[in-house]
Structures are given as structure tokens and as C-alpha cells.
Amino acid sequence: LVIFRENPSRQLNRITAVMLFFGGLGSLMGAIGSSLGIPTTTAGDADVVVNATLQGVRQLSVLWEFFFPTLVLFTLAFPRESELLERHPRVVWLLYLPYIFHLLLVILYLNPGWIPTPELGTGGGLLGAFLKLLGFVGLLLGTLFDVLYQIHLQLWAAVNVLYVILAIYFLRRTQQKLENRRLKTQVSIIMAGIGASVGLYIIVQAVPLLLPFLTPPQWLASVLLSLALIIGSGAIAWVIIRHQFLDVQVLAKRWLIYSAAVGFVVAVFFLLYTWFVELYQRLAGEAAGNSSAVQIIFVFIAVIAFQPLLSKMESLVDRF
């Protein structure tokens, strides 16, 4: 938001803002998916709602992977528009086409009703035979689509890795042509951040395809994937703050750091609240009832301590 508002008419600002948005969306959707837990298999109304919600999250979570084509587009537009982008502006569509196709596949897979599977029927005659044939064809198409989808998922991580390799290649080529020392520093930091990100991503997504016995636990995979996104996006944030990337002004940089500091304080507050609720319930046991007492205590703490703490954070940011 800070980058976009700084200069909305500049193409590089728009691309960078969208790229960071998709990077943040990846961590956000992963957190939501983990919080919702594993889909249940019983037929209760609440379970049906949870399953429907999880299905929607899975569909939306695919959107974060648009980070990869936007990353390549960023490397083609930074620090200035490349010759490839100038001569062939439609290359943007080619970059995003595989990801649009991937999104459609996921939506179709999670909504299997689009494949016609009429009842085989028990009637005789020509109509009964036709319905049986149609049902068999629908079943065959569904099975074939399922197999192709599973193969597609196994290979999709390689596509993401390929896009990151392309991004690093374009950045490296740009760095070799630059004479401005500040721009070279910016490119070096961004390359280091992206390189670390792709290394973590390969550990999570690509290595298990080649060496299944090295597949990390789900919780560790989620942590590493979020860490990869944070490092990549954080490298760009650091370049903005310390090396005048995108010519972001002092006020915008201050707002960016202040927002991050406030987010950190709020996150710590909620983590402590969750921990104290669990601790209270364990200590009180059956007599715990609800956690109203803990809620009241934390509301009191927020009213008394939150504003002074934020003021202190703002003072630290100003000095930084």
C-alpha cells in the first residue's frame, strides 16, 4: 500500500506492490488453512460448513502463487523496463497464462459437478443403453481428470522454481549492465533475498518430489514456506528503507516501519492472550467454565498499556 500510494502512475511501483501483496497472501492463506485444521468426514451440519470453508480456502490459496509470474515481471521492469518488455508487451500474458490455467484446474477439481455423471439407469431400450454409456464416459473422464490433476500437482513446484530461476537470471543480467553503484547494491540485496527464498521453497516443494523420504512435516513445511516469503519480501522492504528503492520518501518509509512495529506488538499481544487462555483452562480444569476472566484482564491491559507501548514504538522508529 505504501509503495503503490507513493507513485501510483509508475509501472514499477504497481508491479512491486502487487508482487508483495501476493507474497503476503501466501503466508496469510497458509495461516488460515492451518487454523481451520483438517476437514472432517462426518455428516453433521457444522462439519459440512467446515468442509465448505476449507474447500474455499484451498481455491483461494492458489492465488498466492501469482507471486512467481509477478516476480519475473518485476525483474523485467526493474530498474527500468527491459528491451524484451518494450518490444513484446504481450509477454506479460504468457507469464501469467500457466498460472491462470493452474487456477482453473484447481477450481474444476474442487468442484467435480462440471463433469456429467448421469445415473446409469435400469431401464431398457435405446435410451437406457445411451444413459449407461453416458454415465460410463462421465466416470472415465472424472478418473482421467483426477490422474492428470495429480500429475500436474507433482510437476507444478518445478514450474514455480523455473520462474524464480528466470527472475534471478534477469536480475543478474540487469546487474551486469548497471553502472550506478546504488542500483547495483539494490539488485544484489534483492537477488540474495530471492535466492534464499527459492532455496527454502525447493526444500519444501521440490525436494520431496525427488526424495520422498525427506518430506518435511506439514507444520515445518508451512513455517519454511512462510519464512521464504518473508525473506524475499523483507529483502525488498530493506532495500526500500536503507537504499532508497523506488525513491520512496522518508515519510513513507517511516509509515512502513511503524506499521510493521504495530503489527508486531499486536501479534505478540494475541499470542500471549491465546497462551494465557490455554494456561487458565489447564490450571482450572473442569471449573474453568469460560475464559471471561482472562478476557477482562487482557482488555484492561490493552486499555492501560497499549497506547504507551505504541508511543514508545513510534519514538524508536523516529530515532531509527
Side-chain angles (χ1 to χ4, degrees):
L1 182 62
V2 174
I3 293 170
F4 177 76
R5 288 180 60 187
E6 185 69 16
N7 192 351
S9 61
R10 188 181 180 190
Q11 182 190 39
L12 184 56
N13 283 59
R14 296 196 300 269
I15 294 173
T16 307
V18 172
M19 178 181 65
L20 294 178
F21 167 78
F22 283 126
L25 185 65
S27 294
L28 180 63
M29 298 310 297
I32 292 174
S34 298
S35 299
L36 288 174
I38 301 171
T40 51
T41 56
T42 54
D45 292 339
D47 297 331
V48 171
V49 172
V50 171
N51 283 324
T53 305
L54 281 168
Q55 188 180 51
V57 168
R58 287 196 185 96
Q59 290 178 355
L60 290 174
S61 64
V62 180
L63 291 174
W64 85 264
E65 292 187 336
F66 281 90
F67 168 83
F68 294 99
T70 311
L71 173 63
V72 176
L73 182 61
F74 166 79
T75 60
L76 290 173
F78 172 73
R80 61 187 64 87
E81 195 173 85
S82 66
E83 295 179 1
L84 176 63
L85 210 55
E86 288 179 353
R87 294 179 182 178
H88 308 284
R90 294 184 180 179
V91 74
V92 176
W93 292 102
L94 292 177
L95 286 176
Y96 283 91
L97 192 60
Y99 287 84
I100 294 172
F101 176 72
H102 177 59
L103 177 62
L104 290 175
L105 273 183
V106 172
I107 292 174
L108 290 175
Y109 182 77
L110 295 176
N111 297 276
W114 66 276
I115 299 178
T117 53
E119 295 294 332
L120 296 180
T122 56
L126 187 60
L127 181 60
F130 176 74
L131 288 176
K132 289 180 181 180
L133 177 63
L134 193 61
F136 175 74
V137 171
L139 183 63
L140 185 63
L141 285 175
T143 305
L144 181 62
F145 179 77
D146 185 63
V147 172
L148 291 176
Y149 178 76
Q150 296 303 327
I151 295 173
H152 169 78
L153 281 187
Q154 293 296 319
L155 297 177
W156 187 248
V159 176
N160 290 333
V161 173
L162 175 62
Y163 267 65
V164 178
I165 291 173
L166 278 175
I168 294 176
Y169 167 75
F170 287 132
L171 277 176
R172 182 64 180 169
R173 194 176 65 172
T174 299
Q175 186 184 40
Q176 292 174 346
K177 295 180 180 179
L178 290 175
E179 296 181 358
N180 186 293
R181 185 176 179 180
R182 179 165 64 91
L183 287 177
K184 281 189 172 182
T185 302
Q186 292 177 358
V187 173
S188 298
I189 295 173
I190 293 173
M191 281 181 60
I194 293 173
S197 294
V198 72
L200 290 171
Y201 182 82
I202 289 173
I203 292 173
V204 175
Q205 299 288 352
V207 170
L209 296 179
L210 302 175
L211 304 170
F213 59 90
L214 291 179
T215 302
Q218 185 59 42
W219 67 269
L220 180 60
S222 298
V223 170
L224 290 177
L225 187 57
S226 293
L227 187 61
L229 292 168
I230 290 170
I231 290 174
S233 301
I236 296 173
W238 180 254
V239 171
I240 291 171
I241 294 166
R242 295 294 296 169
H243 300 283
Q244 295 80 48
F245 177 57
L246 299 177
D247 300 322
V248 175
Q249 301 302 315
V250 173
L251 287 177
K253 289 194 291 185
R254 177 183 175 277
W255 193 89
L256 181 67
I257 305 172
Y258 181 62
S259 298
V262 171
F264 175 76
V265 172
V266 172
V268 170
F269 179 83
F270 278 109
L271 286 173
L272 287 174
Y273 169 74
T274 304
W275 184 77
F276 272 105
V277 167
E278 293 177 355
L279 181 63
Y280 169 75
Q281 291 174 344
R282 288 178 184 177
L283 293 176
E286 295 181 358
N290 55 43
S291 55
S292 300
V294 180
Q295 293 175 9
I296 292 172
I297 292 172
F298 267 83
V299 168
F300 181 76
I301 292 173
V303 171
I304 299 299
F306 205 64
Q307 188 56 47
L309 186 58
L310 289 182
S311 298
K312 182 65 176 178
M313 294 295 293
E314 186 174 5
S315 175
L316 291 174
V317 168
D318 288 338
R319 285 197 293 172
F320 180 70

